[in-house]
Amino acid sequence: MNQEVEKLIKYLEEKARCLRCHIIRMLAEAGSGHPGGSLSAVEIVTALYFHVLRLDPRNPSWPDRDRFVLSKGHAAPLLYAALAEKGFFPVEELLTLRKLGSRLQGHPDLRKVPGVEASTGSLGQGLSIGLGIALAGKIDRKNYRVYVLLGDGEIQEGQVWEAAMAAAHYRADNLTAIVDYNGLQIDGPVAEVLSPLPLAEKWRSFGWEVRESDGHNFRELLEAFSWAARVQGKPSLVIARTVKGKGVPFMENAVDWHGKAPTKEQAEEALAALKVL
Amino acid sequence: MLESGSRQRKVATREAYGQVLVELGKRYPELVVLDADLSKSTKTAEFAKVFPDRFFNMGIAEQNLMGTAAGLALAGKIPCVSTFAVFATGRAYDQIRNSIAYPALDVKIIASHAGITVGEDGASHQAIEDISLMRSLPNMAVIVPADATETKKAVAAAVAHRGPVYVRLGRPPVPVLFGEDYKFRFGEAVVLREGSDAVIFATGIMVGEALKAAERLAARGSQVAVVNVHTIKPLDVETVVRLARKTGAVVTAEEHTIYGGLGSAVAEVLGEHCPAPLVRVGIRDRFGESGKPDELMKAFGLTADDIIRAVEIVQKRRDCLLGK
């Protein structure tokens, strides 16, 4: 048993490294985009797509599938990399990111890309969308689950709290939100720009079950997701403590790398660092 | 088709909506309804009573109202979302834009209390720019029913239509213009009265005013066509062009600002296809105010008399162009 878990974690770590390499290559090729918040959420998204979510890449609209909504839509490169690695579309297409005519828009477009569940990018909207999908699941007595990834800056949007209130009111226990708590937003530290802290207390007072996790530790993340699936009568939240730019030393915890693509040379340096990880 | 008689029945379009919603709920098991603490006013409360498991009161939180509807549509439901027009289109504009219109989701935004006939509540509650806001969104269709009969048929058509639709309803009782045999076809304007001396393109409660105006003009020997443009988007360009060419004198009438609504839509068509003199009856560049609905219609120049004046002005302009 323990060996199997070790094997799974090794597999997920390798996938995570692979997604990080895709993100760097895609952004360098595109010449623009958001590396910091894509890299911080790599383990969260890897755990979901390569272990937790029940999906069928050959049938992206399977009605019973689990749903993942990337509310922080600017982490699109991460989502695209996961979907391509999962087999929703060819990996080669990743390098068309942000180019004219590409399906891979700067922010996800559900009508263009198989596997993308919601068109996001205008921050604060994904939790409501996830709630709607979760309520439909309740009406239809389906047992799919809905996961929504929020940014820690994003939760400054009032709509997030409207959705938080409604999800608890409607006892949406098939809904799990994850906050990518990397502590940084475009203008600086989240706590300095407009503090959303304390996170756990706020969400608990809104009627959610809350658990914290190291957002880069697969063992903890998997435990958190299996806990979330067991929560009954309430929506659940995983606060994932992460490092913005994680895995690329010169991007880690550097606010400037929120929305700037690496040059070819910087990309080489990043890829070299990722290979030795 | 047209109901006649001086003692016309009056029914609010929102009342008709509440009734048809229950019928549609029976026909479409996937239909769900969301409201924002106004279900007694928007008349979705009746649906909530009959189908409690398919009704969601989202409280006074319009952004989440629209986003949740988007999610329900993504999972195969047909959400009808109701609140006052001013909050539906203004308060949650970005949610409608990005979560509903951009992905072309099957969400029906059916808003009540549009226009200045909201009355005493005043400008904060009177949506005068909702048609412009919704019309400018790609993928979004816009329907403005003229009476209770048309409301029922329009809402049914909106639910049957694939994609997002905005349906604009009003607060006060308005005359029932059409009988049950009235045919509503999405995107097809209805010529209610033929005539070659001028044409009035009207929408919503201004259709009734336009018919009154045409009747009075006929008594003076002027035959004026009246067209009910219930679908503002997609606009029935063919009918607009045909009657503009036939009459050479065009009036539009709407309970809405002249910027971006029916008047603008018709002006765009005229400009591109068949330039003709045009006068727009609508709210000039100003907000509404408190008052009784009929007082406000007078104060804001939205009566049959105002339409008659507009017809006279536009006819003069046409005759001037023709060198008469």
Side-chain angles (χ1 to χ4, degrees), chain A residues 121-161:
Chain A
S122 176
L123 291 175
Q125 303 198 17
L127 191 58
S128 302
I129 295 171
L131 172 60
I133 301 173
L135 291 177
K138 290 279 182 196
I139 296 173
D140 295 338
R141 297 198 163 75
K142 291 198 177 288
N143 65 359
Y144 62 69
R145 294 190 54 76
V146 186
Y147 298 86
V148 179
L149 180 59
L150 301 161
D152 54 355
E154 178 184 16
I155 62 175
Q156 290 160 349
E157 289 282 4
Q159 185 184 355
V160 172
W161 301 99

Side-chain angles (χ1 to χ4, degrees), chain B residues 169-191:
Chain B
L169 305 176
R171 174 180 166 264
V174 290
V176 177
L177 304 175
F178 309 122
E180 282 308 315
D181 59 338
Y182 175 75
K183 294 256 184 302
F184 177 93
R185 285 189 202 86
F186 179 81
E188 275 181 39
V190 186
V191 180

Side-chain angles (χ1 to χ4, degrees), chain B residues 30-89:
Chain B
E30 67 274 37
L31 190 146
V32 295
V33 176
L34 297 90
D35 205 302
D37 192 38
L38 289 168
S39 65
K40 286 179 200 136
S41 300
T42 63
K43 302 298 171 188
T44 60
E46 200 50 40
F47 182 95
K49 245 186 266 166
V50 183
F51 303 103
D53 299 339
R54 285 154 60 191
F55 175 83
F56 299 95
N57 198 329
M58 305 308 290
I60 310 166
E62 293 78 12
Q63 305 178 62
N64 183 52
L65 170 81
M66 293 300 171
T68 305
L72 283 156
L74 281 168
K77 302 294 171 197
I78 305 176
C80 291
V81 187
S82 295
T83 179
F84 289 0
V86 74
F87 308 132
T89 62

Side-chain angles (χ1 to χ4, degrees), chain B residues 13 111 114-115 127-131 143-145 166-170 255-256:
Chain B
T13 51
I128 53 164
E129 75 287 23
D130 52 320
I131 298 174
I143 301 179
V144 187
Y166 176 64
V167 182
R168 181 188 216 234
L169 305 176
E255 186 204 1
H256 184 270

Side-chain angles (χ1 to χ4, degrees), chain A residues 136-205:
Chain A
K138 290 279 182 196
I139 296 173
D140 295 338
R141 297 198 163 75
K142 291 198 177 288
N143 65 359
Y144 62 69
R145 294 190 54 76
V146 186
Y147 298 86
V148 179
L149 180 59
L150 301 161
D152 54 355
E154 178 184 16
I155 62 175
Q156 290 160 349
E157 289 282 4
Q159 185 184 355
V160 172
W161 301 99
E162 294 183 2
M165 209 187 314
H169 181 85
Y170 284 105
R171 299 183 175 83
D173 53 12
N174 51 351
L175 176 66
T176 296
I178 307 107
V179 173
D180 177 7
Y181 184 20
N182 61 37
L184 294 176
Q185 62 188 112
I186 301 180
D187 274 351
V190 170
E192 285 176 24
V193 174
L194 188 81
S195 178
L197 306 179
L199 289 184
E201 287 86 339
K202 274 205 181 69
W203 287 87
R204 278 198 189 100
S205 72

